[in-house]
Amino acid sequence: ACVDLAQLNGHLPLDHPNPVLTVKRLLKAGGIKTTGNKRQRFLSDSEITQLLAWLPSSYFSQPQRVALTITLFTGCRSGEAVAARWDDVDLAAGLWQIPHTKTGVPRTVRMPAQLVAYLAEQPRQGEWVCQSQRTGSHVRQKAINERKWLCEQRGYTCPVSDWTPHDLRRTARTGLSRIGCPREIAEAALGHSAAGIVGVYDLHRFEAEAGEWLQHWADHICLGLGARTT
């Protein structure tokens, strides 16, 4: 990327070879893998129970806890969770509008009742659902990982090991499959676009169906918890 930028700005000739591409080609020719393994971590039901019981007293700030809870209950991207605005949340209708998504297609999330009740308990201290008291903006997605890493270095432990905020999104998607959610609805619930010719001609968003299955998912993870998401 640096070489490309330098060429575009006239600092390097356009025919200047990119050393990174050369090194990657040589490594590949030598059978050396240059990409990391795709992460496959997701939480089991018992780990979800432990996480939800621990989260209220965890080392995360309350806005960060809210973002993690939204991610687990809806399967949304953690970046979407931290950037949620109160103006886009209709608690009476149980709807959350996400105007800006990774796919470029706005979508509506029908939130499960448990998440609606949880958000109703949160104070409105600004325009953001996950408001940072320090900056006045929403908490940074990266800051959640940073807080988790820092506290682990200082000896604060979590009952669930080796997890990241994005693993909660994978947990929701895997959980939807485990409880019988049809694939196209589970994909729509997470905001994934259908691939190939289906994505071109079938523009149904499955918003109502996704909302029903997110409610089933919330009922599943809250069944017998004995812990509230506060």
Side-chain angles (χ1 to χ4, degrees), residues 119-212:
L119 293 179
E121 296 177 349
Q122 305 307 314
R124 297 197 181 194
Q125 300 175 330
E127 65 176 304
W128 309 98
V129 176
C130 303
Q131 182 94 12
S132 170
Q133 298 305 304
R134 183 175 62 84
T135 66
S137 183
H138 62 75
V139 296
R140 294 181 301 117
Q141 178 185 21
K142 184 180 179 181
I144 301 178
N145 279 323
E146 291 174 344
R147 173 68 67 89
K148 182 174 183 292
W149 179 87
L150 180 61
C151 289
E152 288 174 347
Q153 297 303 305
R154 293 178 176 177
Y156 296 96
T157 58
C158 172
V160 180
S161 62
D162 185 31
W163 66 276
T164 70
H166 192 73
D167 292 337
L168 301 184
R169 174 171 163 84
R170 187 180 299 106
T171 296
R173 177 61 182 86
T174 303
L176 285 170
S177 289
R178 287 197 295 114
I179 64 175
C181 180
R183 179 183 296 273
E184 65 271 18
I185 297 178
E187 288 294 286
L190 267 67
H192 288 161
S193 298
I197 199 69
V198 174
V200 174
Y201 287 98
D202 186 356
L203 301 182
H204 181 53
R205 303 300 179 194
F206 293 101
E207 290 177 354
E209 298 90 337
E212 292 177 4

Side-chain angles (χ1 to χ4, degrees), residues 2-230:
C2 293
V3 174
D4 293 341
L5 184 61
Q7 289 174 326
L8 289 173
N9 291 330
H11 300 304
L12 288 174
L14 293 178
D15 60 352
H16 184 82
N18 188 330
V20 175
L21 297 179
T22 302
V23 171
K24 289 181 68 175
R25 178 175 56 80
L26 293 173
L27 290 173
K28 186 176 181 180
I32 300 175
K33 189 175 181 180
T34 59
T35 57
N37 294 325
K38 290 185 178 180
R39 189 172 173 86
Q40 296 183 322
R41 175 77 163 106
F42 66 91
L43 275 61
S44 66
D45 287 348
S46 62
E47 288 178 320
I48 294 172
T49 299
Q50 294 178 70
L51 184 69
L52 288 176
W54 167 82
L55 198 57
S57 60
S58 69
Y59 40 66
F60 292 110
S61 68
Q62 184 59 20
Q64 291 172 341
R65 295 170 192 162
V66 173
L68 291 171
T69 302
I70 293 174
T71 301
L72 177 61
F73 275 79
T74 67
C76 71
R77 297 174 178 87
S78 56
E80 295 171 340
V82 298
R85 298 175 183 267
W86 283 117
D87 285 348
D88 294 326
V89 175
D90 184 344
L91 293 178
L95 300 178
W96 170 29
Q97 308 289 339
I98 307 180
H100 306 293
T101 67
K102 187 175 181 179
T103 62
V105 179
R107 65 190 185 99
T108 301
V109 176
R110 295 178 181 268
M111 299 180 292
Q114 294 91 334
L115 180 59
V116 172
Y118 173 68
L119 293 179
E121 296 177 349
Q122 305 307 314
R124 297 197 181 194
Q125 300 175 330
E127 65 176 304
W128 309 98
V129 176
C130 303
Q131 182 94 12
S132 170
Q133 298 305 304
R134 183 175 62 84
T135 66
S137 183
H138 62 75
V139 296
R140 294 181 301 117
Q141 178 185 21
K142 184 180 179 181
I144 301 178
N145 279 323
E146 291 174 344
R147 173 68 67 89
K148 182 174 183 292
W149 179 87
L150 180 61
C151 289
E152 288 174 347
Q153 297 303 305
R154 293 178 176 177
Y156 296 96
T157 58
C158 172
V160 180
S161 62
D162 185 31
W163 66 276
T164 70
H166 192 73
D167 292 337
L168 301 184
R169 174 171 163 84
R170 187 180 299 106
T171 296
R173 177 61 182 86
T174 303
L176 285 170
S177 289
R178 287 197 295 114
I179 64 175
C181 180
R183 179 183 296 273
E184 65 271 18
I185 297 178
E187 288 294 286
L190 267 67
H192 288 161
S193 298
I197 199 69
V198 174
V200 174
Y201 287 98
D202 186 356
L203 301 182
H204 181 53
R205 303 300 179 194
F206 293 101
E207 290 177 354
E209 298 90 337
E212 292 177 4
W213 278 98
L214 286 177
Q215 184 61 61
H216 292 325
W217 168 239
D219 293 342
H220 175 79
I221 63 179
C222 289
L223 182 64
L225 276 177
R228 299 172 63 248
T229 52
T230 56

